[in-house]
Amino acid sequence: EILPPFTQEGVLAAVEAALEANPDVSFAVVDHITSCPAMVLPVEQLVAMLKRKGVKVLVDGAHAIGHVPLDVSALGADFYVSNGHKWLYSPKSSAVLWASKDAQKDLYPTTISGLGKGGTPFQLQFSYLGTSDVTAYVAMGDALSFRRRIGGDAAIMAYLIALSSQGGDLLAARWKTSTLVSGDMAACAMVNVRLPPCDGNATAPRDLPWTLMEEYHTWVPTYQLVAGGDWWVRVSAQVYNGLGDYEMLANAVIAIYTKSCSNGI
């Protein structure tokens, strides 16, 4: 278990302690970027630590591709998976499966076909899994073209990370609270901001996503780190967002709390 304050050193120490307590671990799944709370984990150091212990590693990069700079082979993991629909701008069900050369021999698809194409057994086996709709995969090329047209990966990532940081600071200032993560672990386009307490209405923070959807036509997830603890929102930045969207969210939450909570904000 890892609790605030979140630091790279704290994450590495917690994983090392877990390995010491469980020496028989042979396979580990490591998030590249976690969801709630959102933070960038020190994935290269985690992979290196696990590999030194003889543990095979799969990195879950669902939030990574198109979001942060990514050199999969340099991470040293055995397997890496990611989704295209979150940050790459390709459709749902478009995804990536990568395996190191050494790990490919241990990986097989659920359907074996003789119609695959490719230069390796891994490619032959996974390139054709029977009749299916490949539209989402084909569209990944157009997603990459779109990204180039609007400025390219580096410009997109820099804009989103800067907007997320500025937006998080704006929300925390307006709500008189704080953000959760700092430093390298906050270098992504999702920011965690603590909601103010809501006296007299324990369900308002839990119900906030649906209230925002019904009354303001927007949505953010809310969560607690521990049961009975503070409530947090995770706010995601995108290329179509600006700082004004964070201002709108700040005002919307203030209006909801003024109506729902005896203490307001």
Side-chain angles (χ1 to χ4, degrees):
E1 184 178 28
I2 305 172
L3 295 173
F6 296 112
T7 64
Q8 291 187 343
E9 294 76 16
V11 170
L12 292 168
V15 173
E16 185 170 23
L19 289 171
E20 293 295 332
N22 300 276
D24 295 332
V25 170
S26 60
F27 189 89
V29 178
V30 177
D31 279 355
H32 194 150
I33 302 175
T34 58
S35 181
C36 285
M39 65 184 80
V40 183
L41 296 186
V43 65
E44 290 188 41
Q45 297 96 310
L46 287 170
V47 170
M49 177 192 298
L50 290 160
K51 298 297 287 183
R52 285 196 299 270
K53 300 286 187 178
V55 179
K56 288 192 173 183
V57 185
L58 183 151
V59 176
D60 180 351
H63 275 286
I65 189 170
H67 188 174
V68 294
L70 180 60
D71 183 347
V72 174
S73 59
L75 296 178
D78 299 283
F79 310 99
Y80 194 100
V81 293
S82 190
N83 294 322
H85 75 271
K86 293 181 183 293
W87 300 94
L88 193 67
Y89 310 146
S90 57
K92 286 187 176 180
S93 81
S94 61
V96 173
L97 166 65
W98 179 93
S100 69
K101 289 184 178 179
D102 291 339
Q104 289 177 11
K105 66 181 184 301
D106 300 322
L107 198 61
Y108 298 92
T110 55
T111 301
I112 302 295
S113 170
L115 299 178
K117 296 181 180 181
T120 67
F122 180 72
Q123 292 171 338
L124 287 168
Q125 291 166 6
F126 279 91
S127 61
Y128 184 77
L129 304 179
T131 302
S132 61
D133 185 354
V134 299
T135 305
Y137 301 119
V138 174
M140 294 181 84
D142 290 299
L144 296 176
S145 296
F146 170 75
R147 294 175 68 85
R148 287 191 290 269
R149 288 200 304 273
I150 64 173
D153 285 350
I156 292 170
M157 293 172 187
Y159 176 75
L160 297 185
I161 291 171
L163 176 59
S164 182
S165 176
Q166 295 165 11
D169 289 343
L170 183 155
L171 294 172
R174 292 292 310 281
W175 297 340
K176 302 174 184 176
T177 61
S178 60
T179 55
L180 179 62
V181 185
S182 61
D184 290 342
M185 295 183 72
C188 68
M190 299 184 288
V191 65
N192 312 275
V193 185
R194 181 166 53 87
L195 285 167
C198 181
D199 294 347
N201 190 340
T203 63
R206 181 198 67 191
D207 296 337
L208 182 62
W210 292 270
T211 307
L212 286 168
M213 178 64 75
E214 291 173 1
E215 298 184 13
Y216 295 91
H217 309 294
T218 192
W219 190 88
V220 293
T222 61
Y223 63 91
Q224 291 175 297
L225 292 172
V226 294
D230 292 330
W231 283 89
W232 299 79
V233 293
R234 188 204 72 190
V235 186
S236 301
Q238 265 303 350
V239 291
Y240 46 76
N241 290 132
L243 205 57
D245 294 303
Y246 290 81
E247 187 71 46
M248 183 276 290
L249 177 62
N251 291 335
V253 171
I254 289 172
I256 292 168
Y257 268 52
T258 299
K259 181 171 59 177
S260 303
C261 313
S262 60
N263 58 317
I265 292 183

